[in-house]
Amino acid sequence: MKTHKFFNASTRQAMFEKVRGYVDKSLDVDAELARILREHRLERVYRFDLGENAEGYSPKILEYLAELRGNGRIRARLTDWLNAYPDRNHVALRNRLAARFSIPPDWFLIGAGLDSILDLVTRVFLDHGDAYLMPVPSFYLFEEYSERMGAIPYFVTLREEDGFRWTAQTTQRFKHLIATFRPKLVWIANPNNPTGQYVHEAVLEDLIDYASGYNAFVVVDEAYGEYTDAPGVVHSAAQFLARYENLMVLRTFSKKYGLASLRIGYLMASSPDIREGLQVHRHHFPVPQFSADLALMAVEDEDFLDQSRAQTEANRRQVFDRLRALSQFSLVPSKSNIFMLRHRQMSGAQFSRALQRRGIVASPLEISGLRERGYLRFTLRSPADNRYLCDCCEAIERGSEPVAAD
């Protein structure tokens, strides 16, 4: 019996539309790491493939948990976290975020990480045959979630010769495709993932305004947004929400806040229709109370964000200075904690194997706009780990690395 014939159209589309991401969902990561250790007789693996914050999370979270245990309140709080249903609306967290972004609390929708919110957006907007528009390279889930709904992609290529930066020609191309193909959704990651490039706010506003004239809805994914904020200043497209109901802005606690395991993100939209449509598909209890409570504590600790941001900038300068000095490598500078790097004489697979022999794992980038370009994506880690990565690249530069066939 071919059971898949009884699935709905979007599920069948998803099963047969293969979009490769940074990590294949069928890959047993633990088994792969064990293979690398065993095959190369290593003592440890350095994971540069994850977009996690090397500085961790707010120390206030640990202080809070220690205080609960110290004054005997831990049992009652555990009952709330484990036995009771969570607050469906997460009022306290929404109020705190509203103060941070200077917008009303009811403009927020809390979800189980940004991947679940991206899924919600495609379910609300896209029908089979609809058009969507995005730059490439960019976050692969824009493509995966859109195409599993049967939507048709239109890509604007970010050129390697421009350093994968957004240029005036990029904006012109976007406007031309919006006017010609009338996409339902326009996806933009800012800073971009995996390139780490930043699109200036004036450029975004111009594009959002233009898209509104064609009933195109713009999703600005600011998963790495806290990396480009400044002390006391939030640089976000959320500032345009009051003027544009075709805009949705997304952020998460998985990156700079260092809480990836809590699976908590949020969407901001001024349109009540958009929010109501998303609520139709949102689960009744998408986020555990434990996650929401710790996220609230994290967003209140501005000092941690400032200190962590400064440390990331220092790590980035040190790594980029060393990698730029290597003639056989091509570095794409970044405004966040991720960056792209390739070896000029190796394929991506060869470069990846050369690093794995030294215990380093990076993200392959066989995605739209980067296929067969040889780039890998790296995440900044601790200063010691970053030095080890640079040491390994310098060893490869010196010619101690044989280049095997793919």
Side-chain angles (χ1 to χ4, degrees), residues 237-290:
Q239 64 184 294
F240 307 128
L241 287 168
R243 297 198 293 276
Y244 300 103
E245 288 198 343
N246 67 318
L247 174 63
M248 291 162 273
V249 182
L250 283 57
R251 286 207 175 194
T252 181
F253 286 88
S254 295
K255 305 303 181 187
K256 196 60 180 168
Y257 285 103
L259 299 173
S261 185
L262 295 188
R263 306 312 305 136
I264 184 164
Y266 54 97
L267 175 145
M268 298 171 273
S270 61
S271 166
D273 290 341
I274 289 178
R275 299 195 304 270
E276 184 177 355
L278 293 169
Q279 292 285 10
V280 168
H281 291 277
R282 194 187 78 143
H283 294 164
H284 280 291
F285 301 102
V287 176
Q289 195 63 46
F290 177 78

Side-chain angles (χ1 to χ4, degrees), residues 14 21 26 31 43 55 62 79-80 115 120 131 170 176 194 369:
S26 64
E43 294 184 359
E55 283 76 55
L62 286 180
T79 299
D80 291 339
D115 53 347
L120 284 177
T170 309
H176 170 73

Side-chain angles (χ1 to χ4, degrees), residues 223-235:
Y224 292 88
E226 283 77 18
Y227 286 95
T228 51
D229 290 341
V233 180
V234 177
H235 295 293

